[in-house]
Amino acid sequence: MLEDKHPSKTPISSLGEFGLIEHLTHSFKLNNKSSLLGVGDDAAVLEFKNTQTLVSTDLLIEGVHFDLSYVPLKHLGYKAVVVNLSDLFAMHATPSQITVSIAVSNRFPLEALEELYQGIGLACKNYNIDLVGGDTTSSTQGLIISITALGSASKEKIVRRKGAKENDLIVVSGDLGGAYAGLQILEREKAVFKVNPNSQPDLSSYTYSIGRQLKPEARGDVIDLLNSLEIVPTAMIDISDGLSSELLHISKASQVGCHIYEEKLPIDPEVLSICEEFKFNSTTAALNGGEDYELLFTIDQKDYEKIKNHPLLTVIGHCADLKRGNQLITGLGQQIALEAQGWNSFAE
Ligand code: ADP
Ligand code: MG
């Protein structure tokens, strides 16, 4: 597929390593005060005043974390940045810089890397982030991308997984299960395409879910909202592996039990209909789907009035004594123990 998309192919070897770096990064300008020196020297120079510095990094491997047969490189670049920003937002921090390291095989022409960097550039623009460095090397086969995000927060504002107390409310932003539903559609279309390359799929009734999979956003808007409502969550995490798995992280770090209600789980109508089509339980998609990059946090009950009925936020349950375990309470009042079935790189 890469070949088809790039009729005019420029081998990356024709630019050399330094020419390639220069070509891919010259249009990136520094916009944040904390970015003193960016790409082009042996190290970037940053200066964060009166704040604590936060660092988060992610590694993405072709064939393990992404499939280029249906993920456009521009989307991949965008998503690779966003997933890192999401980790910083989950600490209640403001991201400001990234470094991008790539390993590429000569199967990728320059035009493919330009697309990847267009996506990276768009994410930088949308989230006001500076690209300040990285590394470039060759790979014998697939594409590998590692992004590190840096940001800052005042000491009092940093929110960890630890800190939730009994009776705190459990809140989630946006809706859940969409990225998983989108992935099911993309995998199905890939299988259809293999059998019949001329098929023209009609994906118009799946656009929301496919968008959630291919072009997720990090919830900086939710952090802005919490700031404007003067709410500091007691604990917070972003939902990358699925709600269940993240709740268990909060439970373990905070030493509380998490009780959530099935009927409160926010699920988009399109996701419900995809689950129906695939004969898949939508609650399972919301609990275990992953890659939604929503924020999951706990707040003191006194803050309830500030968030109630807000369209971005849903209270899905509360924290209880750890001894009572982590539970999903179904519409029929059954209690089901929450288990982590999230993405595990080391599972068979
Ligand atoms: P070194 O040999 O010291 O590792 P490089 O030649 O790899 O230096 O990098 C030169 C400059 O280009 C550095 O500022 C580095 O951070 C930046 N850089 C290298 N690769 C990338 C990349 N893929 N994306 C953005 N910046 C990069
Ligand atoms: Mg280097």
Side-chain angles (χ1 to χ4, degrees), residues 17 134-136:
E17 183 189 332
D135 201 20
T136 306

Side-chain angles (χ1 to χ4, degrees), residues 266-308:
I267 305 177
D268 188 86
E270 184 189 294
V271 175
L272 291 175
S273 84
I274 291 173
C275 287
E276 215 160 275
E277 197 180 328
F278 280 78
K279 311 241 176 302
F280 195 87
N281 186 304
S282 58
T283 300
T284 310
L287 287 177
N288 300 325
E291 292 205 288
D292 286 316
Y293 299 103
E294 294 296 343
L295 292 172
L296 171 68
F297 54 92
T298 54
I299 58 169
D300 192 290
Q301 296 230 0
K302 73 171 169 25
D303 287 327
Y304 175 64
E305 288 297 318
K306 298 186 197 165
I307 64 149
K308 97 174 169 201

Side-chain angles (χ1 to χ4, degrees), residues 17-18 21 25 39-42 100 102 117 131 133-136:
E17 183 189 332
F18 304 125
I21 296 169
T25 60
V39 172
D41 217 305
D42 294 314
V100 175
I102 51 173
Y117 269 74
L131 173 70
D135 201 20
T136 306

Side-chain angles (χ1 to χ4, degrees), residues 48-55 87-95 150-164 223 226-227 231-237 254 296-298:
F48 295 103
K49 287 187 181 135
N50 310 320
T51 57
Q52 298 198 325
T53 308
L54 293 96
V55 183
D87 280 319
L88 292 194
F89 288 132
M91 302 292 288
H92 211 200
T94 306
L150 297 113
S152 61
S154 62
K155 199 175 173 182
E156 315 73 63
K157 278 225 171 132
I158 292 175
V159 177
R160 299 184 49 185
R161 297 175 179 186
K162 148 184 163 177
I223 298 305
L226 291 174
N227 283 330
I231 295 177
V232 178
T234 50
M236 183 152 59
I237 189 167
S254 298
L296 171 68
F297 54 92
T298 54

Side-chain angles (χ1 to χ4, degrees), residues 57-341:
T57 197
D58 262 306
L59 180 61
L60 300 174
I61 313 276
E62 184 180 352
V64 179
H65 303 102
F66 57 89
D67 182 339
L68 289 178
S69 61
Y70 54 74
V71 178
L73 281 157
K74 187 172 171 184
H75 288 71
L76 179 65
Y78 193 87
K79 182 169 174 175
V81 176
V82 159
V83 302
N84 272 281
L85 305 184
S86 179
D87 280 319
L88 292 194
F89 288 132
M91 302 292 288
H92 211 200
T94 306
S96 44
Q97 289 85 16
I98 52 165
T99 63
V100 175
S101 298
I102 51 173
V104 264
S105 74
N106 53 18
R107 162 181 147 238
F108 292 85
L110 176 65
E111 287 74 11
L113 295 182
E114 283 172 346
E115 273 181 45
L116 180 75
Y117 269 74
Q118 271 168 21
I120 292 171
L122 187 61
C124 285
K125 181 165 164 267
N126 289 353
Y127 290 91
N128 189 31
I129 306 295
D130 295 329
L131 173 70
V132 295
D135 201 20
T136 306
T137 189
S138 57
S139 126
T140 49
Q141 279 188 325
L143 175 64
I144 299 171
I145 308 171
S146 176
I147 297 192
T148 298
L150 297 113
S152 61
S154 62
K155 199 175 173 182
E156 315 73 63
K157 278 225 171 132
I158 292 175
V159 177
R160 299 184 49 185
R161 297 175 179 186
K162 148 184 163 177
K165 311 174 303 305
E166 264 177 59
N167 300 321
D168 280 357
L169 300 174
I170 301 174
V171 186
V172 68
S173 66
D175 54 62
L176 301 173
Y180 179 81
L183 183 63
Q184 303 315 305
I185 300 293
L186 290 167
E187 291 280 358
R188 180 178 73 187
E189 294 313 320
K190 179 185 172 184
V192 170
F193 181 84
K194 266 193 194 152
V195 179
N196 178 8
N198 296 320
S199 66
Q200 286 290 337
D202 176 13
L203 300 178
S204 57
S205 50
Y206 309 117
T207 47
Y208 176 69
S209 304
I210 292 175
R212 294 284 284 170
Q213 172 58 226
L214 292 181
K215 194 171 179 285
E217 300 291 351
R219 297 317 300 248
D221 56 342
V222 171
I223 298 305
D224 293 342
L225 175 68
L226 291 174
N227 283 330
S228 70
L229 296 172
E230 296 183 7
I231 295 177
V232 178
T234 50
M236 183 152 59
I237 189 167
D238 68 325
I239 304 183
S240 50
D241 295 342
L243 179 65
S244 274
S245 161
E246 318 303 358
L247 281 168
L248 296 184
H249 283 305
I250 288 192
S251 165
K252 187 166 182 228
S254 298
Q255 292 291 297
V256 291
C258 296
H259 295 187
I260 58 165
Y261 294 86
E262 183 177 27
E263 61 204 16
K264 303 276 186 202
L265 296 177
I267 305 177
D268 188 86
E270 184 189 294
V271 175
L272 291 175
S273 84
I274 291 173
C275 287
E276 215 160 275
E277 197 180 328
F278 280 78
K279 311 241 176 302
F280 195 87
N281 186 304
S282 58
T283 300
T284 310
L287 287 177
N288 300 325
E291 292 205 288
D292 286 316
Y293 299 103
E294 294 296 343
L295 292 172
L296 171 68
F297 54 92
T298 54
I299 58 169
D300 192 290
Q301 296 230 0
K302 73 171 169 25
D303 287 327
Y304 175 64
E305 288 297 318
K306 298 186 197 165
I307 64 149
K308 97 174 169 201
N309 301 329
H310 196 286
L312 270 185
L313 305 175
T314 311
V315 177
I316 57 169
H318 61 270
C319 302
D321 190 331
L322 180 63
K323 289 196 216 85
R324 293 181 53 209
N326 295 291
Q327 298 179 2
L328 172 77
I329 296 131
T330 68
L332 299 170
Q334 281 171 298
Q335 301 183 350
I336 300 174
L338 288 175
E339 284 167 39
Q341 285 168 9

